Amino acid sequence: MHKKELYPHLNDAALDLIGRTDEQRIYAIREGSWLGYKDAKRILARMEELLNYPRITRMPNILLVAPSFNGRYEYCP
């Protein structure tokens, strides 16, 4: 029987982990994942912009505010 038939609830990334060792699966879980929400993508783009900003005495910055373990969703330039 095919993996997709045995585990129809799993996506392709999870199916790829089925035959791997416990250590490899644990590592994959610990790597985390990125959920590309619209606001998160916008904030990430701004952070990338700041990383590439020319070095000056007073560098621009941002403040990200959110409850713990809830991601950072409020953007304060």
Side-chain angles (χ1 to χ4, degrees):
M1 193 172 261
H2 193 266
K3 283 193 280 186
K4 191 69 170 172
E5 294 168 357
L6 287 172
Y7 308 102
H9 58 289
L10 297 180
N11 65 20
D12 291 339
L15 285 171
D16 289 340
L17 295 172
I18 293 293
R20 300 219 180 151
T21 66
D22 288 347
E23 290 81 17
Q24 290 172 320
R25 290 194 309 269
I26 291 168
Y27 183 84
I29 291 167
R30 289 180 176 165
E31 272 186 315
S33 59
W34 168 257
L35 299 176
Y37 297 108
K38 182 180 77 171
D39 287 338
K41 288 180 181 180
R42 181 176 54 85
I43 291 167
L44 184 61
R46 178 65 176 139
M47 291 172 75
E48 292 285 343
E49 186 180 305
L50 291 175
L51 281 174
N52 295 319
Y53 203 88
R55 301 291 179 233
I56 57 176
T57 305
R58 301 193 92 164
M59 295 292 292
N61 57 68
I62 60 175
L63 171 66
L64 298 176
V65 181
S68 296
F69 304 110
N70 196 26
R72 301 292 181 246
Y73 61 86
E74 194 173 322
Y75 173 59
C76 304

